[in-house]
Amino acid sequence: MTRRSCCIYATGIVCAHLLIVGIALVVAQVFQTMIHSRLKKVSRYPPPPVYMEYYFSNVTNPELFLAGGKAAVKQIGPYTYREYRPRVNITFLENGTKLYALNPKTFVFVPEKSAGNPEVDLIRTVNIPFVAIMNELNSYSFFLRTAVSMYLKSLGIEVFMTRTVHEVLWGFKDPVLTKVHSLKPEVDEYFGLMWKKNGTHEGEFVFHTGEENYLDYGKIDTWNGLRKMSWWSSNQSNMINGTDGAVFHPLINRNELLYIFAADLCRSIHLGYVKDVEVKGIQAYRFAPPNDVLMNPKENPTNAGFCVPAGDCLSTGVLKVSVCAPIVVSFPHFYQADPKYINAVEGLSPNKEEHETYLDLQPTTGVPIRACKRAQLNIILKRVQGFPITKLINETIFPIMFVNETATIDDDSASQMRTMLLIVTLVSNFPLLIVGMGIILLLVLVVLFCRNRQKKNEVKRIDFTEAFHSFTTVKDDTAYTQVSDKPDEPSANQPTRNGSYIAMSPVEAQKC
């Protein structure tokens, strides 16, 4: 066997083995299953740094508004704080299938990312304690409301107040609440939009670890011992669905809805796939709340359960969360809300780029690599009989502040994730690489076989040509001579004659 034949046979054997093994691995999905099993149990990346940006609506024409005019506001901010929220007191439950944890939040001011000094900058905004007292007294007698109104006016307390950003955000001793506290000690005499939220947690959580089903990874099992709430007006609205927004299960697909339970809103919201994006060289899926999340129940009946009491509903784009706090929640500048809320206040300009809430998830690992949670706090201002100061105002959902909670994966974690995803891609596609190598060797085998066959045909043609050439040469250069079984007796005068047999012997050709 020639060396060429050995190469052909060896190539064929290797090619056959590669194709058989590669196709078997592709069909059995051995490597994909191994990678997916590993991803379902992979340790989570550390959460990206979270920043809270607070923007305030500074009222520029309080007198005009109280006289029945249209309110005007000017946005000031941001005042940025770094948020730290480690999980502490972690305890595994039920053979590691569930996890108990607390998530205390701490906020640290970041001056280089802020527009000013919160302890110096003043803002004029709605006096929320005063409005809360008015609304609380609305069910009492007219005479009591009038008496309280006269008393508060004597103290110089009005519908609008001027305070520093720090006071409005982190709390101050309010004169109205101080008077109420003297009568009802359970009422706190301090007020702030973030009062008692620095260094505290939002409740006791029990999460699923995903040991039984990876799709349950990070989902909330109970919150403060509850599997469902009781203050909304339907069972569906009272459900505690999804995660806390910090983690999600791996192997996310574009068709699924992701649920997040927002403890500060006392409800769950869902997010749908929007588009593919890239963050620091990492491919991700963008999810965002669809338009129906805060849609009016007439257009989306499933939202009827968020009307408390039942039937007391606001229009599209706003949610009354009086079960948690005396406020109304919306997206910033009433983005995606009924135009009547936008037109009721001057100075608002909703747009998708600055006011949309979204979450960018790496689909293989389920890790959030970029997030923007944006929400606006509002309060309803309306006329209350017995409080003459409100007799001319038009009912308005008044913007107080909006928060932009942002988080983006850091460079080191992004580099590690890119490397990990590359390894996952290579390992997952290893069977295809084997099949590809088999196909390449198959092509090489075909080329070698064809060239070998061509070579053999060329050799045969050369042998035939040489044989034919030899035959023609012999025919031209050979003559018949006379031979005899007797010894030659040369004679000088007589030529040689034929004997008893004839043989061929090369002699010079004779001329005819």
Side-chain angles (χ1 to χ4, degrees):
M1 185 181 293
T2 64
R3 180 178 298 178
R4 183 183 299 273
S5 298
C6 290
C7 290
I8 293 175
Y9 286 127
T11 303
I13 293 172
V14 174
C15 171
H17 279 80
L18 287 176
L19 288 175
I20 293 172
V21 173
I23 293 174
L25 290 175
V26 170
V27 173
Q29 294 187 337
V30 174
F31 283 85
Q32 290 89 334
T33 303
M34 180 182 66
I35 288 296
H36 288 180
S37 298
R38 177 59 181 164
L39 286 172
K40 293 170 185 177
K41 299 179 180 180
V42 71
S43 58
R44 299 287 97 182
Y45 282 82
V50 179
Y51 292 92
M52 305 289 285
E53 297 177 342
Y54 296 98
Y55 297 84
F56 293 86
S57 298
N58 188 53
V59 184
T60 60
N61 63 344
E63 295 82 6
L64 179 61
F65 174 73
L66 293 174
K70 186 177 181 180
V73 298
K74 180 180 180 181
Q75 178 177 291
I76 63 171
Y79 296 91
T80 306
Y81 294 79
R82 172 73 187 273
E83 178 186 333
Y84 298 90
R85 47 179 176 184
R87 285 189 175 174
V88 299
N89 295 352
I90 296 176
T91 304
F92 287 94
L93 308 172
E94 299 182 19
N95 295 323
T97 60
K98 295 179 182 179
L99 178 147
Y100 168 88
L102 299 176
N103 294 334
K105 294 183 178 181
T106 304
F107 302 91
V108 178
F109 181 63
V110 184
E112 60 270 18
K113 292 180 176 289
S114 302
N117 186 344
E119 296 185 357
V120 175
D121 296 351
L122 296 173
I123 59 171
R124 184 189 291 117
T125 187
V126 176
N127 191 339
I128 296 179
F130 175 77
V131 175
I133 294 297
M134 276 199 313
N135 293 334
E136 184 67 23
L137 292 174
N138 202 24
S139 60
Y140 289 80
S141 68
F142 174 80
F143 298 104
L144 177 60
R145 293 197 300 268
T146 303
V148 172
S149 173
M150 295 175 61
Y151 174 72
L152 295 178
K153 185 176 180 180
S154 67
L155 296 177
I157 298 172
E158 299 180 349
V159 176
F160 294 97
M161 64 178 181
T162 300
R163 295 278 181 175
T164 66
V165 170
H166 183 85
E167 287 177 325
V168 174
L169 198 56
W170 302 110
F172 62 93
K173 189 174 182 178
D174 182 74
V176 178
L177 295 179
T178 300
K179 298 299 180 182
V180 176
H181 177 74
S182 63
L183 301 174
K184 292 184 176 182
E186 65 273 14
V187 175
D188 202 324
E189 56 186 333
Y190 285 85
F191 170 80
L193 296 174
M194 296 290 289
W195 171 246
K196 290 187 176 180
K197 291 187 178 181
N198 195 353
T200 61
H201 58 79
E202 294 180 328
E204 299 179 352
F205 287 88
V206 175
F207 302 94
H208 289 277
T209 61
E211 285 293 324
E212 294 179 331
N213 184 351
Y214 80 96
L215 293 174
D216 291 334
Y217 176 79
K219 285 186 177 180
I220 298 170
D221 181 56
T222 62
W223 173 60
N224 288 333
L226 302 173
R227 280 193 167 85
K228 65 177 183 178
M229 298 168 288
S230 59
W231 36 75
W232 299 110
S233 58
S234 73
N235 291 331
Q236 182 176 354
S237 300
N238 281 317
M239 295 176 65
I240 299 176
N241 295 323
T243 73
D244 63 350
V247 295
F248 295 88
H249 69 79
L251 307 177
I252 294 172
N253 64 70
R254 297 180 177 89
N255 299 322
E256 63 181 305
L257 288 177
L258 301 179
Y259 286 85
I260 296 176
F261 175 71
D264 51 351
L265 302 181
C266 300
R267 65 160 291 183
S268 298
I269 62 173
H270 59 275
L271 297 85
Y273 170 80
V274 177
K275 62 181 179 179
D276 285 21
V277 296
E278 181 177 306
V279 181
K280 296 187 177 182
I282 303 172
Q283 296 299 316
Y285 295 166
R286 173 163 294 181
F287 286 80
N291 295 338
D292 62 357
V293 168
L294 296 179
M295 190 173 287
N296 185 279
K298 293 180 180 179
E299 301 175 62
N300 182 16
T302 58
N303 284 341
F306 295 110
C307 300
V308 178
D312 183 13
C313 305
L314 299 174
S315 297
T316 294
V318 295
L319 174 68
K320 189 189 298 182
V321 291
S322 54
V323 294
C324 284
I327 58 173
V328 174
V329 176
S330 69
F331 291 120
H333 290 229
F334 297 112
Y335 172 69
Q336 293 184 339
D338 191 315
K340 70 178 183 181
Y341 299 127
I342 304 171
N343 297 330
V345 180
E346 290 184 4
L348 302 180
S349 55
N351 63 83
K352 183 177 182 179
E353 291 72 21
E354 295 179 332
H355 304 140
E356 181 190 36
T357 290
Y358 64 84
L359 185 63
D360 295 337
L361 297 173
Q362 205 293 311
T364 304
T365 61
V367 174
I369 57 177
R370 182 170 58 191
C372 283
K373 176 185 174 183
R374 292 155 172 164
Q376 179 172 286
L377 305 183
N378 314 276
I379 192 164
I380 300 176
L381 287 180
K382 60 184 180 181
R383 298 174 186 176
V384 178
Q385 291 187 357
F387 288 85
I389 196 172
T390 66
K391 65 180 180 179
L392 297 178
I393 67 174
N394 297 312
E395 182 170 337
T396 305
I397 296 184
F398 212 98
I400 305 296
M401 173 195 77
F402 87 79
V403 58
N404 180 23
E405 183 178 355
T406 63
T408 303
I409 190 171
D410 60 86
D411 293 338
D412 291 340
S413 297
S415 177
Q416 294 176 18
M417 181 171 289
R418 287 194 299 268
T419 302
M420 187 274 293
L421 292 175
L422 177 61
I423 295 173
V424 168
T425 301
L426 292 176
V427 174
S428 298
N429 294 323
F430 186 68
L432 296 177
L433 295 177
I434 295 177
V435 173
M437 292 174 60
I439 293 174
I440 293 174
L441 286 179
L442 178 62
L443 296 176
V444 172
L445 178 64
V446 171
V447 172
L448 290 176
F449 182 79
C450 292
R451 293 190 63 180
N452 186 61
R453 186 160 187 166
Q454 183 182 11
K455 189 71 176 179
K456 287 183 177 179
N457 291 337
E458 289 178 356
V459 170
K460 287 182 180 180
R461 284 199 300 270
I462 292 174
D463 291 344
F464 177 78
T465 303
E466 290 178 351
F468 180 77
H469 179 71
S470 299
F471 175 75
T472 54
T473 303
V474 169
K475 183 175 180 180
D476 293 339
D477 297 343
T478 304
Y480 294 97
T481 59
Q482 301 158 349
V483 295
S484 173
D485 55 352
K486 295 182 180 181
D488 292 341
E489 297 177 355
S491 174
N493 299 323
Q494 196 173 11
T496 304
R497 298 179 181 273
N498 290 335
S500 58
Y501 64 92
I502 298 175
M504 294 176 60
S505 176
V507 296
E508 289 184 6
Q510 299 180 0
K511 296 182 180 179
C512 297

